[in-house]
Amino acid sequence: MRRMMGIVFISLALVFTFTCTAWAKEIKIGVILPLSGSLAPTGKSLKEGADLAADIINGKYPDLNISIAQWEGIPSLGGAKIKLVYADHRADPGWGADQAKRLIKDEKVSGLFGCYNSAVTKTASVEAERAGIPFVNPDSTSPALTKRGLTWFWRVTPHETWFTADLFNFLDGLSQGKARGVRAVPKDEIDTLAVAAENTEWGAASLKEIEEFAAKHGYKIVESFKYPHKAADLSSEARRMIASKADCYLFAPYVADAILFIRTLKEMRAAPKLIWGQDSGFIESDFSKTLGAAVNGILTRDLFSAELGKVKPAAAKINTMYKERTGYDFSGSSARDFIGIQVWAHALNSAGSTDPEAIRKALNELYIGPEQLIMPWKGVRFGSPFPGDTQQNELGSGVINQYQGWPDGKLHVVYPFEFSTADLIYPFPGWK
Amino acid sequence: MGRILRDIFSFADRPLSERIAFVIFLIIVLAFPWMVKPAYAKVVMIKFLLFAMFGLGWNLIGGYGGQVDLGQAKNVGFGAYATALMMLHWNIPFWLTILPGMMFATAESFAVAYPMFRLRGHYFAIATLCVALVWKELFVFWDWTGGARGVEIPIKATPDFTYMQFGETGYHYFIFGLFMAQFLFMNWFRKSRLGYELMAVRDNEDAAESLGINVTATKVKAYCIAAALGAMGGSFITAYYLYIDPDLVMPMDLSILIAMTVMVGGSGSIWGPIIGAAILIPLDMYLGAWLAGGGRYGIDFMIYSFIIMIIAAREPKGIWGIVERVRKRR
Amino acid sequence: MELAVQLIVFGTLMGLVFAFISLGLSLIFGVMNIVNFAHGEFLMVGMYVALLTSTYLPLDPLVSLPFAGAVGFLLGVLSYRFLIQYILRGPMVAQLFGTFGLMLFLRYLVMFIFGPDVRSLSHGLIVGKSVSLGYVTIDVSKIVGAVLCLMLFAVVYWMINKTRLGRALRATSLDPEAARYMGIDTEKMNALAWGIGGATVGIAGGLLAHFYYITPTIGMVFIMIAFATVALGGFGSISGAFLAGLIIGLIQVVGGQYLSELKFTFIYLTYFLAVVFRPRGLFGW
């Protein structure tokens, strides 16, 4: 009799454990990032941003004032935890596609996430489209990605068109006296531009956007060119920019060439009134670490700044957590990957299931309010903000940051003007 | 006619053990999609067949010809772009796009071959590298090929025979068909007159010349044929990934990988490319998938490169070199 | 006029740097006819030596140059002993993929140990300082590099052509068997060639660290330039490498001025056209 009871008890216990673990299951999301090769530092920071978001979702953080911090897993799925399954795409679109297939079919992920490099996002999202699996893109900014009419692809980050609009609104604002701490600058003092863009897909797209906006806003491009980002030497390119006597130097580089360019310009004692970088190379921590005080006064398109913590307390706390783990602040890229996983959590929660159709519906109807986000965005909602866009977040926005006070300094927000966290330094102080 | 067919399909000049091994290999490949569950394994198999095919084409100039060509990627790019541009802009069915790609590759190769074959050894190798890189840069520069943005093919409902878009199994048999076509071609080639002349040139140019063989013409012909074969693989890539750009189909790394898989397997034999691809492709793909993302950057490449170095040091004539060595001892 | 002077100055300086980097490659080619794909990685190791010695020892990075040279020498000799001497047996392409494997191995070993981050030297006697001569502003470290380059070329040239050791090296490259009959230890000569080649590129790396960024993948940036330089100059020719370096430096600068996207194309085309007319490079044998 007792043996019978024992067996019944053990069986019940087993069944109980089994159903518990089956209930508190995992939801796998495949994350494809550049984890090797020359973009590995960026890939590392992106991974860290995503990991932090997953940890916050899966745990309980009562002092963080955003909803996912209280969830402890996805509430509508019985507290199922989010598990990020990583794959390295090696900046090779073919590899990205192959890894996407592996994640979808073998790892059976409920969705995909990534890939930073726009070219890899293109092929990986094709695989998601073919398989009918949702793909959320937090960090690739080539405008073409949301102009393909795909129905399983959503992009969270604003794309190049936004950022270029920001730049020219900033320049206009500067000449109208809206910049904090600076009197109105006569427009003819800043209306000639020299633009240098690296010649892969991203740089070429940036250059085109800048040319279009410059024409619309009445700025003259006196020099513009594309250059190979793996160049060993950029002295003539730097010389060209100086010789053009442009007021503003605009760049669309990756990290290594950004460093080389600024270094070379410094050696040649260039003295423009303004230096601006189109994100990417200019916001990587290696850029400021390597160049030290030489970055002071440089403006960069960005999406985030640690200083935003002053206006958004949740951002400050989460940035502190990130800094404790990694030793550096969120960059615009890692912050976007953080938000991307947040989007996934909200979508899964609304969907109440891991069925692809349910998730698709949830993403299309999703709205996340600005108070949930560490970015100064108006929220997340997918729509068609620019002609031809589909399933693109309409409520995102960029910022323009300026390096001030380095090597121990900060990245201050100088645009949107109402979010400014410090006076703008104008003109560019130059290098001693 | 009968003799040509016999040359294409007959392996009578190879030992029985090889023929049996090959038949087993064919059976495994044919049954693969049904035998194996994980999708990644099927992805690896497709890539293996693709690179085995690339290797066969390269082997023609690099192995049987003994000329180290490090620029095969340009031919792959020509085929890929021909297919992509024709499918995208003019809706031309896939099968009709293969030939223009091959023809362009052949024509371009013919144009550069005569000046290039004035060079020997390392100079030639670096020249091939340079030509391929020049083409890659030009493709990045030209807007009408899409430049760095590449070319995207719209996704069609599968299966689609105009655009050759399928599920995984479809692609498997597709690439297998292309592979077999090139394999049988190589089987015919190695017994053909041009094949023998080429091998004679490889082994001793002066002796070949004295026998009346036009050394340069032979090399040029081989180079052009290898180009056409490479272009065919490029066309497949377009249909497979539905997106191409110069970094995907024309980079230096691709040329080197193709040459390397043949060398690891053993150049100058018809099995070499297959063996080489069978080792290097799964090695690269599994190491990359398992170890990457683990937080420590670079372990997968370290292991991969270590194995390459060991093979290079231990058996520079490739795996097939080992087989032949063992055979000679018996 | 101003433009021309600036271009010539920049081109010559970078050209000397390219020549400096390519010297070791030419030497190794010259003595044993092998394409060293890992040459860019030897350069990268030299850069890391400069970074490490200046970070952990209270020494100026300029002083790290001999260290970088020594490490380069060791790396060259070890590479020869453990890998190259075996792959010399095989066909040329086997040699290619052997050194290609070495390239990947070194690159990812360094990435594994130091991480993929980009770094640079932050302090040093000649770091970040420039000097103005008329309307040309030049980085001091590039000038030092140019001077070092000339010195090293002179030293190597003297060594190869005027010393017994140099004669032994040349004998080994011309006919290894005959050299052995003459009592020359060809294995030692080969290892020495690799050592010297490694040492020169190691020093070049130490110098490059002064005005360049440091990352495990930096080898890729320089390897094609080094190949084109050595091939243009003629494999085995020291003076060829020197001249070719200058030519390529100038082309690169002029290309950057007028059509930067295609500047590598110009370099490759130059090589191609030059060897079509002179199949063994400018001075090769």
Side-chain angles (χ1 to χ4, degrees):
Chain A
M1 183 58 202
R2 241 182 249 148
R3 213 187 289 152
M4 266 296 282
M5 291 295 289
I7 293 178
V8 168
F9 261 120
I10 293 179
S11 323
L12 276 175
L14 282 172
V15 168
F16 190 75
T17 324
F18 197 78
T19 44
C20 266
T21 45
W23 191 234
K25 62 181 197 274
E26 284 179 332
I27 304 177
K28 291 198 213 172
I29 298 184
V31 182
I32 310 177
L33 293 175
L35 296 172
S36 64
S38 43
L39 282 175
T42 309
K44 183 162 157 262
S45 71
L46 296 172
K47 177 174 186 291
E48 286 157 347
D51 280 339
L52 182 60
D55 286 344
I56 291 181
I57 294 166
N58 292 337
K60 198 174 181 82
Y61 296 85
D63 56 325
L64 286 181
N65 226 344
I66 56 178
S67 45
I68 57 169
Q70 327 304 330
W71 282 359
E72 274 186 288
I74 306 294
S76 72
L77 289 169
K81 310 280 186 218
I82 289 204
K83 178 160 196 268
L84 300 178
V85 182
Y86 286 98
D88 172 21
H89 63 57
R90 298 185 179 176
D92 177 338
W95 257 83
D98 290 340
Q99 296 305 312
K101 281 184 212 160
R102 179 176 70 90
L103 290 169
I104 294 173
K105 305 222 175 99
D106 295 338
E107 293 282 345
K108 306 249 192 303
V109 296
S110 304
L112 289 177
F113 188 73
C115 313
Y116 190 71
N117 303 54
S118 293
V120 180
T121 304
K122 276 186 193 172
T123 49
S125 55
V126 163
E127 297 306 325
E129 187 80 8
R130 290 207 260 203
I133 295 284
F135 188 115
V136 171
N137 170 234
D139 49 22
S140 301
T141 54
S142 161
L145 289 172
T146 38
K147 295 195 168 42
R148 296 178 291 167
L150 296 187
T151 56
W152 290 99
F153 180 79
W154 291 263
R155 172 161 51 185
V156 181
T157 175
H159 57 65
E160 295 302 328
T161 315
W162 258 278
F163 301 129
T164 321
D166 282 346
L167 167 66
F168 284 93
N169 289 334
F170 169 78
L171 289 174
D172 285 344
L174 183 59
S175 65
Q176 289 155 11
K178 293 191 187 154
R180 181 173 142 176
V182 174
R183 265 182 306 159
V185 174
K187 178 151 173 191
D188 55 11
E189 216 177 277
I190 49 170
D191 68 346
T192 54
L193 315 171
V195 192
E198 60 84 35
N199 71 341
T200 69
E201 205 264 353
W202 172 74
S206 297
L207 186 59
K208 236 172 74 130
E209 296 277 329
I210 291 179
E211 283 167 355
E212 280 170 16
F213 273 87
K216 262 194 281 189
H217 287 248
Y219 289 82
K220 291 189 289 273
I221 297 186
V222 294
E223 173 66 90
S224 85
F225 57 87
K226 288 184 271 194
Y227 64 89
H229 72 273
K230 289 213 188 101
D233 168 54
L234 290 169
S235 23
S236 346
E237 288 81 352
R239 201 216 71 82
R240 275 171 86 170
M241 295 189 87
I242 297 177
S244 72
K245 300 209 198 317
D247 301 312
C248 309
Y249 293 176
L250 310 178
F251 293 96
Y254 284 125
V255 140
D257 38 314
I259 293 176
L260 192 57
F261 238 124
I262 298 299
R263 262 232 160 101
T264 313
L265 286 169
K266 177 173 178 238
E267 276 161 30
M268 296 183 175
R269 318 244 176 101
K273 308 222 181 54
L274 201 139
I275 294 185
W276 174 89
Q278 173 77 301
D279 184 312
S280 179
F282 273 52
I283 65 171
E284 286 304 319
S285 59
D286 284 337
F287 179 74
S288 43
K289 252 197 303 177
T290 316
L291 291 171
V295 303
N296 281 321
I298 291 182
L299 292 159
T300 169
R301 174 266 264 182
D302 202 341
L303 287 113
F304 186 79
S305 159
E307 296 302 295
L308 282 171
K310 295 191 191 131
V311 280
K312 275 184 160 268
K317 289 203 193 120
I318 295 176
N319 186 46
T320 310
M321 284 175 78
Y322 185 77
K323 197 161 183 171
E324 274 164 16
R325 292 177 170 212
T326 65
Y328 40 80
D329 290 317
F330 265 125
S331 68
S333 308
S334 41
R336 278 179 291 174
D337 275 39
F338 178 92
I339 290 193
I341 297 293
Q342 208 177 353
V343 167
W344 259 115
H346 280 270
L348 284 166
N349 197 34
S350 301
S353 112
T354 54
D355 169 52
E357 271 304 333
I359 300 179
R360 169 151 75 165
K361 186 158 176 292
L363 280 166
N364 280 328
E365 295 171 357
L366 189 70
Y367 172 72
I368 302 180
E371 69 287 348
Q372 300 295 330
L373 302 174
I374 58 178
M375 295 288 208
W377 293 354
K378 297 201 182 70
V380 175
R381 186 176 62 215
F382 297 105
S384 304
F386 284 99
D389 275 343
T390 56
Q391 299 184 184
Q392 163 72 47
N393 180 17
E394 313 176 297
L395 305 175
S397 57
V399 298
I400 296 185
N401 285 338
Q402 186 175 47
Y403 286 96
Q404 295 186 359
W406 286 75
D408 296 312
K410 305 200 185 298
L411 205 54
H412 279 281
V413 178
V414 295
Y415 177 90
F417 299 115
E418 57 272 22
F419 270 117
S420 295
T421 59
D423 287 350
L424 175 71
I425 296 177
Y426 175 87
F428 180 71
W431 300 285
K432 302 292 174 289
Chain B
M1 183 63 200
R3 211 190 50 163
I4 295 182
L5 279 174
R6 191 168 34 96
D7 277 345
I8 293 177
F9 291 100
S10 150
F11 289 88
D13 60 322
R14 309 298 310 176
L16 186 63
S17 54
E18 279 179 32
R19 285 181 271 164
I20 294 179
F22 184 61
V23 169
I24 297 179
F25 165 76
L26 280 181
I27 294 176
I28 294 179
V29 172
L30 277 168
F32 201 75
W34 316 107
M35 273 173 27
V36 169
K37 268 220 76 195
Y40 197 58
K42 297 184 206 169
V43 165
V44 173
M45 170 58 81
I46 291 177
K47 201 162 182 187
F48 153 68
L49 287 171
L50 179 65
F51 274 85
M53 188 177 85
F54 277 143
L56 284 171
W58 186 88
N59 198 23
L60 203 148
I61 181 73
Y64 291 114
Q67 308 296 319
V68 178
D69 173 8
L70 292 180
Q72 182 71 323
K74 69 169 160 77
N75 300 313
V76 175
F78 294 148
Y81 270 93
T83 298
L85 293 170
M86 289 171 84
M87 290 209 308
L88 180 66
H89 292 307
W90 301 308
N91 250 312
I92 298 182
F94 177 85
W95 293 102
L96 295 179
T97 67
I98 299 189
L99 205 56
M102 289 171 76
M103 278 166 34
F104 185 80
T106 308
E108 185 268 350
S109 298
F110 188 76
V112 297
Y114 277 100
M116 275 216 296
F117 279 114
R118 296 179 60 185
L119 307 169
R120 298 287 172 81
H122 300 303
Y123 296 96
F124 174 77
I126 300 223
T128 58
L129 206 51
C130 286
V131 169
L133 285 169
V134 166
W135 275 110
K136 173 171 171 258
E137 301 223 325
L138 285 176
F139 270 78
V140 169
F141 181 64
W142 284 330
D143 266 333
W144 55 270
T145 59
R149 288 184 326 280
V151 181
E152 285 182 77
I153 310 292
I155 306 178
K156 305 277 187 214
T158 61
D160 177 314
F161 280 89
T162 314
Y163 275 69
M164 297 308 275
Q165 293 189 25
F166 310 100
E168 220 57 39
T169 311
Y171 279 119
H172 173 87
Y173 289 111
F174 180 19
I175 187 68
F176 180 67
L178 293 176
F179 164 77
M180 277 313 288
Q182 284 204 11
F183 182 78
L184 291 172
F185 174 78
M186 287 308 292
N187 194 28
W188 169 81
F189 181 80
R190 68 189 175 94
K191 296 175 223 151
S192 70
R193 189 193 168 93
L194 180 60
Y196 282 119
E197 286 179 358
L198 188 63
M199 288 188 260
V201 164
R202 170 193 69 188
D203 292 333
N204 191 329
E205 276 192 37
D206 296 323
E209 187 125 36
S210 69
L211 286 173
I213 297 176
N214 184 339
V215 168
T216 310
T218 307
K219 288 190 204 171
V220 170
K221 281 184 214 163
Y223 185 63
C224 293
I225 299 178
L229 295 175
M232 197 155 89
S235 297
F236 173 80
I237 291 184
T238 299
Y240 187 50
Y241 287 124
L242 298 183
Y243 168 77
I244 58 166
D245 65 24
D247 270 315
L248 178 60
V249 294
M250 296 174 91
M252 177 168 88
D253 289 345
L254 180 62
S255 300
I256 294 180
L257 183 62
I258 293 175
M260 238 185 6
T261 52
V262 179
M263 290 324 295
V264 165
S267 64
S269 94
I270 195 164
W271 311 118
I274 302 177
I275 297 175
I279 294 177
L280 287 185
I281 298 299
L283 186 68
D284 180 32
M285 294 200 73
Y286 278 107
L287 279 179
W290 284 340
L291 292 175
R296 269 322 218 159
Y297 303 91
I299 300 192
D300 51 337
F301 277 107
M302 272 172 63
I303 298 181
Y304 178 74
S305 59
F306 199 71
I307 293 180
I308 293 176
M309 286 197 287
I310 292 193
I311 295 184
R314 280 315 183 165
E315 187 44 72
K317 292 213 176 77
I319 304 288
W320 196 247
I322 300 180
V323 171
E324 306 229 299
R325 210 171 12 135
V326 164
R327 269 214 201 123
K328 279 196 193 118
R329 266 204 226 127
R330 290 228 192 100
Chain C
M1 187 53 213
E2 196 179 310
L3 174 62
V5 168
Q6 286 180 325
L7 288 182
I8 292 179
V9 169
F10 294 146
T12 310
L13 283 177
M14 270 325 276
L16 288 171
V17 172
F18 290 157
F20 194 177
I21 295 173
S22 312
L23 174 60
L25 195 64
S26 194
L27 203 64
I28 293 173
F29 273 137
V31 174
M32 69 192 83
N33 246 331
I34 185 166
V35 180
N36 180 15
F37 265 101
H39 190 75
E41 272 53 38
F42 284 20
L43 180 76
M44 180 263 294
V45 169
M47 294 173 83
Y48 270 89
V49 171
L51 181 70
L52 292 171
T53 51
S54 72
T55 312
Y56 293 113
L57 302 175
L59 292 172
D60 187 272
L62 207 51
V63 176
S64 73
L65 292 184
F67 284 105
V71 171
F73 185 87
L74 203 61
L75 192 60
V77 169
L78 287 176
S79 299
Y80 180 76
R81 285 251 183 269
F82 285 102
L83 177 69
I84 308 298
Q85 70 170 338
Y86 300 108
I87 69 179
L88 280 177
R89 283 188 274 130
M92 184 175 85
V93 187
Q95 299 166 5
L96 287 173
F97 79 79
T99 57
F100 187 74
L102 181 63
M103 166 186 107
L104 287 179
F105 185 73
L106 285 174
R107 183 186 302 169
Y108 288 99
L109 181 65
V110 170
M111 186 182 284
F112 180 74
I113 299 178
F114 294 104
D117 308 302
V118 176
R119 308 182 206 208
S120 77
L121 292 178
S122 44
H123 64 278
L125 267 175
I126 57 173
V127 173
K129 300 196 176 40
S130 48
V131 57
S132 288
L133 301 167
Y135 41 72
V136 187
T137 316
I138 317 175
D139 186 16
V140 170
S141 38
K142 287 204 184 114
I143 299 181
V144 172
V147 168
L148 267 177
C149 167
L150 290 165
M151 277 171 46
L152 234 72
F153 261 94
V155 165
V156 171
Y157 187 80
W158 168 80
M159 194 195 72
I160 297 283
N161 290 306
K162 307 281 185 212
T163 64
R164 272 195 73 165
L165 187 64
R167 273 205 293 275
L169 276 171
R170 274 185 292 148
T172 311
S173 66
L174 283 167
D175 192 338
E177 256 189 77
R180 256 171 267 148
Y181 292 146
M182 299 309 302
I184 296 175
D185 182 347
T186 51
E187 285 301 298
K188 208 160 121 200
M189 288 298 117
N190 285 342
L192 193 64
W194 272 79
I196 298 176
T200 54
V201 74
I203 296 178
L207 176 80
L208 217 60
H210 285 86
F211 56 87
Y212 223 82
Y213 55 90
I214 304 171
T215 178
T217 54
I218 189 125
M220 290 196 293
V221 172
F222 288 99
I223 189 67
M224 271 319 293
I225 292 185
F227 275 175
T229 305
V230 175
L232 178 64
F235 290 125
S237 163
I238 308 292
S239 32
F242 186 79
L243 194 60
L246 284 172
I247 294 176
I248 292 200
L250 285 164
I251 292 176
Q252 193 258 146
V253 147
V254 171
Q257 170 66 29
Y258 293 107
L259 196 55
S260 181
E261 283 172 270
L262 290 182
K263 65 186 200 178
F264 280 114
T265 304
F266 294 136
I267 296 177
Y268 302 144
L269 276 177
T270 307
Y271 164 70
F272 191 71
L273 291 171
V275 294
V276 162
F277 293 110
R278 283 188 70 95
R280 288 211 172 258
L282 295 173
F283 296 128
W285 41 272

